[in-house]
Amino acid sequence: MQVISISSLKGGVGKTSITLGLASAAWAAGISTLVIDLDPHADTTTGLGIKHDAPSTDIGTMLRKPKQYRVAEHAVPSGWMETEQDGEQAGTLHVIRGSAKTSLFEKVTTRRKEINRLATLLESLEAYELVLIDCPPALNGVTRMAWAASTDVLLVAEPSLFSVAGTERTFRALDLFQREYAPKLKNTAVVVNRVRAASTEHKYRLAEMRRMFGNRMLEAQIPETSNWQQIQGAAWPVHAWPGDTAATAAKTFDELLKGLYEPVVPPRRARRS
Ligand SMILES: Nc1ncnc2c1ncn2[C@@H]1O[C@H](COP(=O)(O)OP(=O)(O)OP(=O)(O)O)[C@@H](O)[C@H]1O
Ligand SMILES: [Mg+2]
């Protein structure tokens, strides 16, 4: 099972948007996916069409006693599952609801038991091919719990001076953390969001990032999308939204997912001699 955390030190760069875009691509591709909303702000929960008073256990409550909960039993279907994709039902997309209770775990600690709370919670989880975790905008205890439970960390950056510098510092923190606390973590990469192809400043920053991050910078870049807020506000998957602008964004999320997701190939049956 692949577990991808979507993270950044800087706020508002598009973590939730990337999480929702990847969830939409996975949903359209029929990959069975669980989204965990680890940000106390819980925007992903809203974007996936889950009511905040839904009768389901939120992630903050489960993190308090990670050995007592079986996560799969508390996952709720995203409202997106009622949407049809080209007249067909798309894949399974479930959500673990976010809540303000997660903020109780913001304090940074070096105690492994604390850092591993989410990893412990996910130990028994087998029902999904992919897990996406939306993180808060900080390198706090919550984000570190996500990293320790992940196989992949995807940093989100914008093509701007402060975002590039912040991403460089986040990679350094991530590398240190990976060595000490995250044995499952295999891939760390950065995706650039809100790219305007015609902008000279963006071209300059993209070239700078390529030099700085090398092959850790993913090929797929997410364009600035004029109706993105409208799509998110409607709690709708970008893959089902009409029009060319949404279709272009959906295609880049397909490419992004392709660059990240490694399907588990079932082992070939041993030949009988
Ligand atoms: N590619 C895009 N095109 C247009 N608007 C975008 C794009 N990505 C994000 N936005 C908008 O930018 C705002 C911030 O995005 P988002 O909430 O995804 O960031 P975030 O990193 O999750 O923020 P936070 O740090 O507060 O959790 C939102 O209003 C969102 O609609
Ligand atoms: Mg967010």
Side-chain angles (χ1 to χ4, degrees):
M1 190 178 69
Q2 200 171 346
V3 181
I4 305 177
S5 279
I6 295 93
S7 200
S8 80
L9 176 59
K10 196 172 185 299
V13 291
K15 293 172 293 299
T16 299
S17 301
I18 301 285
T19 306
L20 293 173
L22 284 172
S24 178
W27 167 79
I31 298 166
S32 85
T33 302
L34 176 70
V35 179
I36 301 178
D37 190 354
L38 219 51
D39 188 346
H41 220 266
D43 298 335
T44 298
T45 303
T46 311
L48 288 164
I50 307 288
K51 294 211 168 61
H52 285 272
D53 56 358
S56 63
T57 313
D58 66 276
I59 188 69
T61 301
M62 282 191 257
L63 285 172
R64 292 172 98 153
K65 293 181 176 163
K67 287 196 173 147
Q68 278 187 20
Y69 287 95
R70 293 184 68 80
V71 180
E73 289 169 12
H74 303 276
V76 286
S78 161
W80 295 4
M81 287 183 69
E82 288 157 29
T83 319
E84 283 188 351
Q85 168 75 354
D86 296 333
E88 287 178 29
Q89 202 81 35
T92 299
L93 180 63
H94 289 172
V95 186
I96 298 289
R97 193 161 62 81
S99 87
K101 285 184 198 158
T102 312
S103 59
L104 294 172
F105 302 97
E106 281 172 354
K107 200 169 148 215
V108 174
T109 167
T110 51
R111 289 183 61 207
R112 279 174 204 277
K113 190 178 162 230
E114 292 298 315
I115 293 169
N116 285 329
R117 275 180 189 271
L118 184 62
T120 305
L121 195 57
L122 298 190
E123 255 163 28
S124 61
L125 188 67
E126 285 173 353
Y128 304 93
E129 293 166 280
L130 178 64
V131 177
L132 298 171
I133 306 173
D134 187 18
C135 296
L139 297 192
N140 60 19
V142 176
T143 296
R144 283 160 204 259
M145 271 197 300
W147 289 357
S150 295
T151 54
D152 302 63
V153 171
L154 179 62
L155 300 183
V156 182
E158 283 177 330
S160 71
L161 170 66
F162 293 144
S163 180
V164 176
T167 305
E168 216 263 320
R169 283 190 284 276
T170 312
F171 263 133
R172 259 187 271 153
L174 182 54
D175 291 344
L176 284 173
F177 184 84
Q178 182 175 15
R179 279 200 288 277
E180 191 74 16
Y181 298 104
K184 285 188 217 137
L185 185 51
K186 286 189 295 179
N187 307 307
T188 54
V190 58
V191 61
V192 191
N193 184 33
R194 300 192 86 144
V195 175
R196 273 179 271 122
S199 158
T200 315
E201 166 71 8
H202 284 193
K203 278 188 206 142
Y204 176 84
R205 293 297 166 202
L206 288 169
E208 185 183 37
M209 277 194 249
R210 228 168 263 126
R211 277 197 307 277
M212 282 169 88
F213 305 132
N215 58 10
R216 280 175 129 179
M217 181 168 147
L218 296 176
E219 289 275 315
Q221 290 159 10
I222 311 302
E224 171 88 26
T225 304
S226 54
N227 53 356
W228 191 249
Q229 290 214 357
Q230 207 186 339
I231 301 170
Q232 280 182 331
W236 205 257
V238 64
H239 285 70
W241 196 263
D244 290 345
T245 314
T248 306
K251 219 168 124 217
T252 26
F253 281 113
D254 289 339
E255 283 165 27
L256 181 62
L257 185 67
K258 222 165 116 194
L260 288 170
Y261 176 63
E262 298 156 16
V264 179
V265 182
R268 282 195 191 169
R269 274 199 207 151
R271 280 205 200 136
R272 286 194 193 159
S273 53

